[in-house]
PDB file of all heavy atoms in Angstrom:
ATOM      1  N   ALA R   1     -59.433 -31.480-103.008  1.00 61.00           N
ATOM      2  CA  ALA R   1     -60.393 -32.397-103.615  1.00 61.00           C
ATOM      3  C   ALA R   1     -60.116 -33.827-103.166  1.00 61.00           C
ATOM      4  O   ALA R   1     -61.038 -34.607-102.892  1.00 61.00           O
ATOM      5  CB  ALA R   1     -60.326 -32.290-105.138  1.00 61.00           C
ATOM      6  N   GLU R   2     -58.813 -34.180-103.071  1.00 54.00           N
ATOM      7  CA  GLU R   2     -58.428 -35.519-102.654  1.00 54.00           C
ATOM      8  C   GLU R   2     -58.755 -35.741-101.181  1.00 54.00           C
ATOM      9  O   GLU R   2     -59.269 -36.791-100.794  1.00 54.00           O
ATOM     10  CB  GLU R   2     -56.931 -35.729-102.895  1.00 54.00           C
ATOM     11  CG  GLU R   2     -56.450 -37.157-102.601  1.00 54.00           C
ATOM     12  CD  GLU R   2     -54.965 -37.291-102.881  1.00 54.00           C
ATOM     13  OE1 GLU R   2     -54.198 -36.414-102.435  1.00 54.00           O
ATOM     14  OE2 GLU R   2     -54.575 -38.259-103.530  1.00 54.00           O
ATOM     15  N   THR R   3     -58.470 -34.727-100.352  1.00 48.00           N
ATOM     16  CA  THR R   3     -58.713 -34.845 -98.918  1.00 48.00           C
ATOM     17  C   THR R   3     -60.183 -35.079 -98.618  1.00 48.00           C
ATOM     18  O   THR R   3     -60.557 -35.870 -97.767  1.00 48.00           O
ATOM     19  CB  THR R   3     -58.245 -33.561 -98.187  1.00 48.00           C
ATOM     20  OG1 THR R   3     -56.842 -33.392 -98.404  1.00 48.00           O
ATOM     21  CG2 THR R   3     -58.522 -33.657 -96.700  1.00 48.00           C
ATOM     22  N   TRP R   4     -61.042 -34.362 -99.368  1.00 45.00           N
ATOM     23  CA  TRP R   4     -62.482 -34.482 -99.130  1.00 45.00           C
ATOM     24  C   TRP R   4     -63.126 -35.553 -99.998  1.00 45.00           C
ATOM     25  O   TRP R   4     -64.341 -35.641-100.082  1.00 45.00           O
ATOM     26  CB  TRP R   4     -63.141 -33.122 -99.378  1.00 45.00           C
ATOM     27  CG  TRP R   4     -62.849 -32.186 -98.265  1.00 45.00           C
ATOM     28  CD1 TRP R   4     -61.863 -31.258 -98.194  1.00 45.00           C
ATOM     29  CD2 TRP R   4     -63.530 -32.128 -97.012  1.00 45.00           C
ATOM     30  NE1 TRP R   4     -61.893 -30.622 -96.986  1.00 45.00           N
ATOM     31  CE2 TRP R   4     -62.895 -31.121 -96.241  1.00 45.00           C
ATOM     32  CE3 TRP R   4     -64.618 -32.811 -96.469  1.00 45.00           C
ATOM     33  CZ2 TRP R   4     -63.313 -30.807 -94.957  1.00 45.00           C
ATOM     34  CZ3 TRP R   4     -65.030 -32.493 -95.195  1.00 45.00           C
ATOM     35  CH2 TRP R   4     -64.383 -31.505 -94.457  1.00 45.00           C
ATOM     36  N   ASP R   5     -62.280 -36.359-100.648  1.00 42.00           N
ATOM     37  CA  ASP R   5     -62.791 -37.471-101.456  1.00 42.00           C
ATOM     38  C   ASP R   5     -63.769 -36.986-102.513  1.00 42.00           C
ATOM     39  O   ASP R   5     -64.803 -37.607-102.778  1.00 42.00           O
ATOM     40  CB  ASP R   5     -63.471 -38.514-100.566  1.00 42.00           C
ATOM     41  CG  ASP R   5     -63.675 -39.845-101.301  1.00 42.00           C
ATOM     42  OD1 ASP R   5     -62.916 -40.087-102.262  1.00 42.00           O
ATOM     43  OD2 ASP R   5     -64.567 -40.605-100.911  1.00 42.00           O
ATOM     44  N   LYS R   6     -63.443 -35.824-103.099  1.00 42.00           N
ATOM     45  CA  LYS R   6     -64.292 -35.261-104.146  1.00 42.00           C
ATOM     46  C   LYS R   6     -63.886 -35.846-105.500  1.00 42.00           C
ATOM     47  O   LYS R   6     -63.234 -35.206-106.314  1.00 42.00           O
ATOM     48  CB  LYS R   6     -64.161 -33.728-104.174  1.00 42.00           C
ATOM     49  CG  LYS R   6     -64.757 -33.044-102.954  1.00 42.00           C
ATOM     50  CD  LYS R   6     -66.267 -33.074-103.020  1.00 42.00           C
ATOM     51  CE  LYS R   6     -66.891 -32.242-101.927  1.00 42.00           C
ATOM     52  NZ  LYS R   6     -68.360 -32.275-101.976  1.00 42.00           N
ATOM     53  N   MET R   7     -64.257 -37.098-105.736  1.00 47.00           N
ATOM     54  CA  MET R   7     -63.847 -37.761-106.965  1.00 47.00           C
ATOM     55  C   MET R   7     -64.425 -37.066-108.195  1.00 47.00           C
ATOM     56  O   MET R   7     -63.778 -36.980-109.237  1.00 47.00           O
ATOM     57  CB  MET R   7     -64.285 -39.226-106.922  1.00 47.00           C
ATOM     58  CG  MET R   7     -63.664 -40.022-105.767  1.00 47.00           C
ATOM     59  SD  MET R   7     -61.848 -39.887-105.730  1.00 47.00           S
ATOM     60  CE  MET R   7     -61.439 -40.656-107.277  1.00 47.00           C
ATOM     61  N   ASP R   8     -65.672 -36.559-108.069  1.00 50.00           N
ATOM     62  CA  ASP R   8     -66.264 -35.840-109.202  1.00 50.00           C
ATOM     63  C   ASP R   8     -65.463 -34.598-109.526  1.00 50.00           C
ATOM     64  O   ASP R   8     -65.217 -34.279-110.691  1.00 50.00           O
ATOM     65  CB  ASP R   8     -67.713 -35.449-108.889  1.00 50.00           C
ATOM     66  CG  ASP R   8     -68.630 -36.662-108.902  1.00 50.00           C
ATOM     67  OD1 ASP R   8     -68.207 -37.691-109.448  1.00 50.00           O
ATOM     68  OD2 ASP R   8     -69.748 -36.554-108.386  1.00 50.00           O
ATOM     69  N   SER R   9     -65.050 -33.872-108.476  1.00 51.00           N
ATOM     70  CA  SER R   9     -64.274 -32.657-108.688  1.00 51.00           C
ATOM     71  C   SER R   9     -62.918 -32.983-109.297  1.00 51.00           C
ATOM     72  O   SER R   9     -62.440 -32.293-110.200  1.00 51.00           O
ATOM     73  CB  SER R   9     -64.090 -31.908-107.358  1.00 51.00           C
ATOM     74  OG  SER R   9     -65.335 -31.489-106.845  1.00 51.00           O
ATOM     75  N   LEU R  10     -62.271 -34.042-108.802  1.00 54.00           N
ATOM     76  CA  LEU R  10     -60.982 -34.449-109.363  1.00 54.00           C
ATOM     77  C   LEU R  10     -61.127 -34.809-110.841  1.00 54.00           C
ATOM     78  O   LEU R  10     -60.301 -34.441-111.670  1.00 54.00           O
ATOM     79  CB  LEU R  10     -60.432 -35.647-108.584  1.00 54.00           C
ATOM     80  CG  LEU R  10     -59.810 -35.352-107.211  1.00 54.00           C
ATOM     81  CD1 LEU R  10     -59.559 -36.644-106.454  1.00 54.00           C
ATOM     82  CD2 LEU R  10     -58.503 -34.576-107.373  1.00 54.00           C
ATOM     83  N   SER R  11     -62.211 -35.541-111.150  1.00 57.00           N
ATOM     84  CA  SER R  11     -62.437 -35.943-112.534  1.00 57.00           C
ATOM     85  C   SER R  11     -62.660 -34.728-113.426  1.00 57.00           C
ATOM     86  O   SER R  11     -62.108 -34.648-114.531  1.00 57.00           O
ATOM     87  CB  SER R  11     -63.654 -36.881-112.604  1.00 57.00           C
ATOM     88  OG  SER R  11     -63.938 -37.223-113.939  1.00 57.00           O
ATOM     89  N   ARG R  12     -63.464 -33.756-112.918  1.00 57.00           N
ATOM     90  CA  ARG R  12     -63.726 -32.560-113.710  1.00 57.00           C
ATOM     91  C   ARG R  12     -62.451 -31.758-113.918  1.00 57.00           C
ATOM     92  O   ARG R  12     -62.207 -31.213-114.994  1.00 57.00           O
ATOM     93  CB  ARG R  12     -64.784 -31.706-113.013  1.00 57.00           C
ATOM     94  CG  ARG R  12     -66.171 -32.316-113.005  1.00 57.00           C
ATOM     95  CD  ARG R  12     -67.207 -31.309-112.560  1.00 57.00           C
ATOM     96  NE  ARG R  12     -68.518 -31.923-112.422  1.00 57.00           N
ATOM     97  CZ  ARG R  12     -69.088 -32.230-111.261  1.00 57.00           C
ATOM     98  NH1 ARG R  12     -68.444 -31.965-110.137  1.00 57.00           N
ATOM     99  NH2 ARG R  12     -70.277 -32.788-111.209  1.00 57.00           N
ATOM    100  N   LEU R  13     -61.635 -31.675-112.857  1.00 61.00           N
ATOM    101  CA  LEU R  13     -60.381 -30.934-112.969  1.00 61.00           C
ATOM    102  C   LEU R  13     -59.477 -31.550-114.024  1.00 61.00           C
ATOM    103  O   LEU R  13     -58.857 -30.844-114.825  1.00 61.00           O
ATOM    104  CB  LEU R  13     -59.665 -30.897-111.613  1.00 61.00           C
ATOM    105  CG  LEU R  13     -60.194 -29.888-110.585  1.00 61.00           C
ATOM    106  CD1 LEU R  13     -59.562 -30.143-109.226  1.00 61.00           C
ATOM    107  CD2 LEU R  13     -59.910 -28.469-111.039  1.00 61.00           C
ATOM    108  N   GLN R  14     -59.386 -32.876-114.017  1.00 56.00           N
ATOM    109  CA  GLN R  14     -58.502 -33.547-114.980  1.00 56.00           C
ATOM    110  C   GLN R  14     -59.066 -33.470-116.390  1.00 56.00           C
ATOM    111  O   GLN R  14     -58.312 -33.467-117.361  1.00 56.00           O
ATOM    112  CB  GLN R  14     -58.293 -34.996-114.552  1.00 56.00           C
ATOM    113  CG  GLN R  14     -57.425 -35.096-113.280  1.00 56.00           C
ATOM    114  CD  GLN R  14     -57.291 -36.529-112.792  1.00 56.00           C
ATOM    115  OE1 GLN R  14     -58.256 -37.282-112.799  1.00 56.00           O
ATOM    116  NE2 GLN R  14     -56.102 -36.901-112.364  1.00 56.00           N
ATOM    117  N   ASP R  15     -60.392 -33.412-116.512  1.00 59.00           N
ATOM    118  CA  ASP R  15     -60.996 -33.242-117.840  1.00 59.00           C
ATOM    119  C   ASP R  15     -60.716 -31.845-118.388  1.00 59.00           C
ATOM    120  O   ASP R  15     -60.427 -31.666-119.572  1.00 59.00           O
ATOM    121  CB  ASP R  15     -62.505 -33.467-117.769  1.00 59.00           C
ATOM    122  CG  ASP R  15     -62.853 -34.936-117.578  1.00 59.00           C
ATOM    123  OD1 ASP R  15     -61.961 -35.778-117.831  1.00 59.00           O
ATOM    124  OD2 ASP R  15     -63.988 -35.221-117.165  1.00 59.00           O
ATOM    125  N   ILE R  16     -60.811 -30.839-117.490  1.00 60.00           N
ATOM    126  CA  ILE R  16     -60.626 -29.454-117.911  1.00 60.00           C
ATOM    127  C   ILE R  16     -59.148 -29.127-118.128  1.00 60.00           C
ATOM    128  O   ILE R  16     -58.778 -28.439-119.072  1.00 60.00           O
ATOM    129  CB  ILE R  16     -61.219 -28.488-116.864  1.00 60.00           C
ATOM    130  CG1 ILE R  16     -62.734 -28.730-116.743  1.00 60.00           C
ATOM    131  CG2 ILE R  16     -60.962 -27.038-117.244  1.00 60.00           C
ATOM    132  CD1 ILE R  16     -63.371 -27.962-115.597  1.00 60.00           C
ATOM    133  N   PHE R  17     -58.289 -29.663-117.218  1.00 59.00           N
ATOM    134  CA  PHE R  17     -56.854 -29.352-117.265  1.00 59.00           C
ATOM    135  C   PHE R  17     -56.044 -30.647-117.276  1.00 59.00           C
ATOM    136  O   PHE R  17     -55.437 -31.037-116.277  1.00 59.00           O
ATOM    137  CB  PHE R  17     -56.443 -28.500-116.053  1.00 59.00           C
ATOM    138  CG  PHE R  17     -57.296 -27.278-115.864  1.00 59.00           C
ATOM    139  CD1 PHE R  17     -58.253 -27.236-114.868  1.00 59.00           C
ATOM    140  CD2 PHE R  17     -57.151 -26.173-116.694  1.00 59.00           C
ATOM    141  CE1 PHE R  17     -59.049 -26.120-114.694  1.00 59.00           C
ATOM    142  CE2 PHE R  17     -57.945 -25.060-116.528  1.00 59.00           C
ATOM    143  CZ  PHE R  17     -58.897 -25.026-115.527  1.00 59.00           C
ATOM    144  N   PRO R  18     -56.050 -31.363-118.407  1.00 54.00           N
ATOM    145  CA  PRO R  18     -55.361 -32.659-118.453  1.00 54.00           C
ATOM    146  C   PRO R  18     -53.858 -32.552-118.249  1.00 54.00           C
ATOM    147  O   PRO R  18     -53.215 -33.527-117.871  1.00 54.00           O
ATOM    148  CB  PRO R  18     -55.692 -33.170-119.864  1.00 54.00           C
ATOM    149  CG  PRO R  18     -56.038 -31.937-120.656  1.00 54.00           C
ATOM    150  CD  PRO R  18     -56.682 -31.000-119.678  1.00 54.00           C
ATOM    151  N   HIS R  19     -53.303 -31.353-118.483  1.00 53.00           N
ATOM    152  CA  HIS R  19     -51.851 -31.191-118.344  1.00 53.00           C
ATOM    153  C   HIS R  19     -51.440 -30.988-116.900  1.00 53.00           C
ATOM    154  O   HIS R  19     -50.252 -31.013-116.575  1.00 53.00           O
ATOM    155  CB  HIS R  19     -51.379 -29.996-119.177  1.00 53.00           C
ATOM    156  CG  HIS R  19     -52.011 -28.708-118.760  1.00 53.00           C
ATOM    157  ND1 HIS R  19     -53.311 -28.400-119.119  1.00 53.00           N
ATOM    158  CD2 HIS R  19     -51.543 -27.668-118.008  1.00 53.00           C
ATOM    159  CE1 HIS R  19     -53.611 -27.209-118.616  1.00 53.00           C
ATOM    160  NE2 HIS R  19     -52.567 -26.751-117.940  1.00 53.00           N
ATOM    161  N   VAL R  20     -52.413 -30.771-115.997  1.00 52.00           N
ATOM    162  CA  VAL R  20     -52.105 -30.566-114.588  1.00 52.00           C
ATOM    163  C   VAL R  20     -52.305 -31.889-113.865  1.00 52.00           C
ATOM    164  O   VAL R  20     -53.398 -32.441-113.864  1.00 52.00           O
ATOM    165  CB  VAL R  20     -53.014 -29.488-113.960  1.00 52.00           C
ATOM    166  CG1 VAL R  20     -52.662 -29.293-112.485  1.00 52.00           C
ATOM    167  CG2 VAL R  20     -52.867 -28.180-114.724  1.00 52.00           C
ATOM    168  N   SER R  21     -51.263 -32.408-113.256  1.00 50.00           N
ATOM    169  CA  SER R  21     -51.345 -33.699-112.584  1.00 50.00           C
ATOM    170  C   SER R  21     -51.625 -33.509-111.107  1.00 50.00           C
ATOM    171  O   SER R  21     -51.109 -32.577-110.479  1.00 50.00           O
ATOM    172  CB  SER R  21     -50.020 -34.466-112.742  1.00 50.00           C
ATOM    173  OG  SER R  21     -49.744 -34.666-114.117  1.00 50.00           O
ATOM    174  N   PRO R  22     -52.425 -34.405-110.517  1.00 50.00           N
ATOM    175  CA  PRO R  22     -52.655 -34.334-109.085  1.00 50.00           C
ATOM    176  C   PRO R  22     -51.357 -34.546-108.334  1.00 50.00           C
ATOM    177  O   PRO R  22     -50.442 -35.222-108.832  1.00 50.00           O
ATOM    178  CB  PRO R  22     -53.642 -35.484-108.825  1.00 50.00           C
ATOM    179  CG  PRO R  22     -54.247 -35.782-110.153  1.00 50.00           C
ATOM    180  CD  PRO R  22     -53.181 -35.481-111.157  1.00 50.00           C
ATOM    181  N   PRO R  23     -51.224 -33.997-107.141  1.00 49.00           N
ATOM    182  CA  PRO R  23     -49.994 -34.146-106.370  1.00 49.00           C
ATOM    183  C   PRO R  23     -49.827 -35.577-105.906  1.00 49.00           C
ATOM    184  O   PRO R  23     -50.770 -36.363-105.863  1.00 49.00           O
ATOM    185  CB  PRO R  23     -50.218 -33.208-105.186  1.00 49.00           C
ATOM    186  CG  PRO R  23     -51.699 -33.168-105.024  1.00 49.00           C
ATOM    187  CD  PRO R  23     -52.243 -33.248-106.407  1.00 49.00           C
ATOM    188  N   GLU R  24     -48.588 -35.930-105.567  1.00 48.00           N
ATOM    189  CA  GLU R  24     -48.330 -37.250-105.018  1.00 48.00           C
ATOM    190  C   GLU R  24     -48.980 -37.355-103.645  1.00 48.00           C
ATOM    191  O   GLU R  24     -49.301 -36.361-103.000  1.00 48.00           O
ATOM    192  CB  GLU R  24     -46.813 -37.479-104.895  1.00 48.00           C
ATOM    193  CG  GLU R  24     -46.101 -37.480-106.245  1.00 48.00           C
ATOM    194  CD  GLU R  24     -44.612 -37.682-106.082  1.00 48.00           C
ATOM    195  OE1 GLU R  24     -44.172 -37.825-104.917  1.00 48.00           O
ATOM    196  OE2 GLU R  24     -43.905 -37.697-107.086  1.00 48.00           O
ATOM    197  N   SER R  25     -49.202 -38.571-103.200  1.00 42.00           N
ATOM    198  CA  SER R  25     -49.842 -38.770-101.903  1.00 42.00           C
ATOM    199  C   SER R  25     -49.065 -38.045-100.824  1.00 42.00           C
ATOM    200  O   SER R  25     -47.832 -38.005-100.819  1.00 42.00           O
ATOM    201  CB  SER R  25     -49.909 -40.259-101.566  1.00 42.00           C
ATOM    202  OG  SER R  25     -50.678 -40.927-102.545  1.00 42.00           O
ATOM    203  N   LEU R  26     -49.783 -37.484 -99.895  1.00 37.00           N
ATOM    204  CA  LEU R  26     -49.172 -36.716 -98.819  1.00 37.00           C
ATOM    205  C   LEU R  26     -48.661 -37.660 -97.742  1.00 37.00           C
ATOM    206  O   LEU R  26     -49.253 -38.706 -97.489  1.00 37.00           O
ATOM    207  CB  LEU R  26     -50.213 -35.763 -98.215  1.00 37.00           C
ATOM    208  CG  LEU R  26     -50.949 -34.862 -99.199  1.00 37.00           C
ATOM    209  CD1 LEU R  26     -52.022 -34.077 -98.453  1.00 37.00           C
ATOM    210  CD2 LEU R  26     -49.978 -33.917 -99.866  1.00 37.00           C
ATOM    211  N   ASN R  27     -47.547 -37.269 -97.101  1.00 40.00           N
ATOM    212  CA  ASN R  27     -47.112 -38.080 -95.973  1.00 40.00           C
ATOM    213  C   ASN R  27     -48.058 -37.839 -94.808  1.00 40.00           C
ATOM    214  O   ASN R  27     -48.806 -36.876 -94.776  1.00 40.00           O
ATOM    215  CB  ASN R  27     -45.658 -37.767 -95.585  1.00 40.00           C
ATOM    216  CG  ASN R  27     -45.484 -36.322 -95.169  1.00 40.00           C
ATOM    217  OD1 ASN R  27     -46.179 -35.833 -94.280  1.00 40.00           O
ATOM    218  ND2 ASN R  27     -44.545 -35.627 -95.804  1.00 40.00           N
ATOM    219  N   ASN R  28     -48.051 -38.724 -93.838  1.00 43.00           N
ATOM    220  CA  ASN R  28     -49.038 -38.690 -92.777  1.00 43.00           C
ATOM    221  C   ASN R  28     -49.033 -37.383 -92.010  1.00 43.00           C
ATOM    222  O   ASN R  28     -50.071 -36.802 -91.732  1.00 43.00           O
ATOM    223  CB  ASN R  28     -48.804 -39.839 -91.798  1.00 43.00           C
ATOM    224  CG  ASN R  28     -49.098 -41.174 -92.434  1.00 43.00           C
ATOM    225  OD1 ASN R  28     -49.855 -41.237 -93.398  1.00 43.00           O
ATOM    226  ND2 ASN R  28     -48.503 -42.229 -91.908  1.00 43.00           N
ATOM    227  N   ARG R  29     -47.841 -36.868 -91.700  1.00 38.00           N
ATOM    228  CA  ARG R  29     -47.762 -35.663 -90.882  1.00 38.00           C
ATOM    229  C   ARG R  29     -48.318 -34.467 -91.639  1.00 38.00           C
ATOM    230  O   ARG R  29     -49.163 -33.729 -91.146  1.00 38.00           O
ATOM    231  CB  ARG R  29     -46.305 -35.415 -90.482  1.00 38.00           C
ATOM    232  CG  ARG R  29     -46.135 -34.169 -89.616  1.00 38.00           C
ATOM    233  CD  ARG R  29     -44.679 -34.013 -89.203  1.00 38.00           C
ATOM    234  NE  ARG R  29     -44.502 -32.798 -88.429  1.00 38.00           N
ATOM    235  CZ  ARG R  29     -43.310 -32.386 -87.979  1.00 38.00           C
ATOM    236  NH1 ARG R  29     -42.238 -33.112 -88.226  1.00 38.00           N
ATOM    237  NH2 ARG R  29     -43.226 -31.281 -87.287  1.00 38.00           N
ATOM    238  N   PHE R  30     -47.852 -34.282 -92.875  1.00 39.00           N
ATOM    239  CA  PHE R  30     -48.316 -33.143 -93.661  1.00 39.00           C
ATOM    240  C   PHE R  30     -49.773 -33.306 -94.053  1.00 39.00           C
ATOM    241  O   PHE R  30     -50.541 -32.351 -94.066  1.00 39.00           O
ATOM    242  CB  PHE R  30     -47.450 -32.998 -94.925  1.00 39.00           C
ATOM    243  CG  PHE R  30     -47.842 -31.814 -95.747  1.00 39.00           C
ATOM    244  CD1 PHE R  30     -47.429 -30.540 -95.396  1.00 39.00           C
ATOM    245  CD2 PHE R  30     -48.653 -31.965 -96.866  1.00 39.00           C
ATOM    246  CE1 PHE R  30     -47.810 -29.441 -96.157  1.00 39.00           C
ATOM    247  CE2 PHE R  30     -49.024 -30.882 -97.628  1.00 39.00           C
ATOM    248  CZ  PHE R  30     -48.591 -29.610 -97.273  1.00 39.00           C
ATOM    249  N   GLY R  31     -50.159 -34.561 -94.360  1.00 44.00           N
ATOM    250  CA  GLY R  31     -51.548 -34.804 -94.739  1.00 44.00           C
ATOM    251  C   GLY R  31     -52.506 -34.454 -93.622  1.00 44.00           C
ATOM    252  O   GLY R  31     -53.555 -33.868 -93.855  1.00 44.00           O
ATOM    253  N   LEU R  32     -52.142 -34.792 -92.377  1.00 42.00           N
ATOM    254  CA  LEU R  32     -53.010 -34.471 -91.253  1.00 42.00           C
ATOM    255  C   LEU R  32     -53.119 -32.971 -91.064  1.00 42.00           C
ATOM    256  O   LEU R  32     -54.211 -32.432 -90.846  1.00 42.00           O
ATOM    257  CB  LEU R  32     -52.457 -35.121 -89.978  1.00 42.00           C
ATOM    258  CG  LEU R  32     -53.268 -34.898 -88.697  1.00 42.00           C
ATOM    259  CD1 LEU R  32     -54.680 -35.475 -88.902  1.00 42.00           C
ATOM    260  CD2 LEU R  32     -52.597 -35.553 -87.509  1.00 42.00           C
ATOM    261  N   ALA R  33     -51.996 -32.275 -91.181  1.00 42.00           N
ATOM    262  CA  ALA R  33     -52.018 -30.819 -91.021  1.00 42.00           C
ATOM    263  C   ALA R  33     -52.847 -30.176 -92.124  1.00 42.00           C
ATOM    264  O   ALA R  33     -53.629 -29.256 -91.879  1.00 42.00           O
ATOM    265  CB  ALA R  33     -50.587 -30.268 -91.054  1.00 42.00           C
ATOM    266  N   PHE R  34     -52.665 -30.668 -93.342  1.00 43.00           N
ATOM    267  CA  PHE R  34     -53.419 -30.094 -94.463  1.00 43.00           C
ATOM    268  C   PHE R  34     -54.909 -30.374 -94.332  1.00 43.00           C
ATOM    269  O   PHE R  34     -55.737 -29.512 -94.604  1.00 43.00           O
ATOM    270  CB  PHE R  34     -52.910 -30.679 -95.793  1.00 43.00           C
ATOM    271  CG  PHE R  34     -53.671 -30.159 -96.959  1.00 43.00           C
ATOM    272  CD1 PHE R  34     -53.380 -28.910 -97.486  1.00 43.00           C
ATOM    273  CD2 PHE R  34     -54.711 -30.892 -97.503  1.00 43.00           C
ATOM    274  CE1 PHE R  34     -54.104 -28.410 -98.541  1.00 43.00           C
ATOM    275  CE2 PHE R  34     -55.426 -30.405 -98.574  1.00 43.00           C
ATOM    276  CZ  PHE R  34     -55.115 -29.166 -99.089  1.00 43.00           C
ATOM    277  N   ALA R  35     -55.240 -31.595 -93.888  1.00 45.00           N
ATOM    278  CA  ALA R  35     -56.650 -31.931 -93.719  1.00 45.00           C
ATOM    279  C   ALA R  35     -57.310 -31.001 -92.720  1.00 45.00           C
ATOM    280  O   ALA R  35     -58.443 -30.556 -92.919  1.00 45.00           O
ATOM    281  CB  ALA R  35     -56.794 -33.382 -93.256  1.00 45.00           C
ATOM    282  N   SER R  36     -56.614 -30.670 -91.639  1.00 43.00           N
ATOM    283  CA  SER R  36     -57.176 -29.754 -90.649  1.00 43.00           C
ATOM    284  C   SER R  36     -57.392 -28.378 -91.253  1.00 43.00           C
ATOM    285  O   SER R  36     -58.427 -27.750 -91.055  1.00 43.00           O
ATOM    286  CB  SER R  36     -56.235 -29.649 -89.433  1.00 43.00           C
ATOM    287  OG  SER R  36     -56.092 -30.913 -88.823  1.00 43.00           O
ATOM    288  N   ALA R  37     -56.364 -27.904 -91.990  1.00 43.00           N
ATOM    289  CA  ALA R  37     -56.493 -26.579 -92.610  1.00 43.00           C
ATOM    290  C   ALA R  37     -57.590 -26.580 -93.659  1.00 43.00           C
ATOM    291  O   ALA R  37     -58.377 -25.637 -93.759  1.00 43.00           O
ATOM    292  CB  ALA R  37     -55.158 -26.181 -93.248  1.00 43.00           C
ATOM    293  N   ALA R  38     -57.665 -27.664 -94.439  1.00 45.00           N
ATOM    294  CA  ALA R  38     -58.690 -27.738 -95.469  1.00 45.00           C
ATOM    295  C   ALA R  38     -60.074 -27.769 -94.854  1.00 45.00           C
ATOM    296  O   ALA R  38     -61.002 -27.142 -95.346  1.00 45.00           O
ATOM    297  CB  ALA R  38     -58.474 -29.000 -96.330  1.00 45.00           C
TER     298      ALA R  38
END
């Protein structure tokens, strides 16, 4: 959701599951690999 800038989805997720926290920002290397896979 963060990679695709889905702010609405992030907001809905946090509304539905307030106890689940979003992950910390990804480092550049892992973030790039994850973005490709996503």
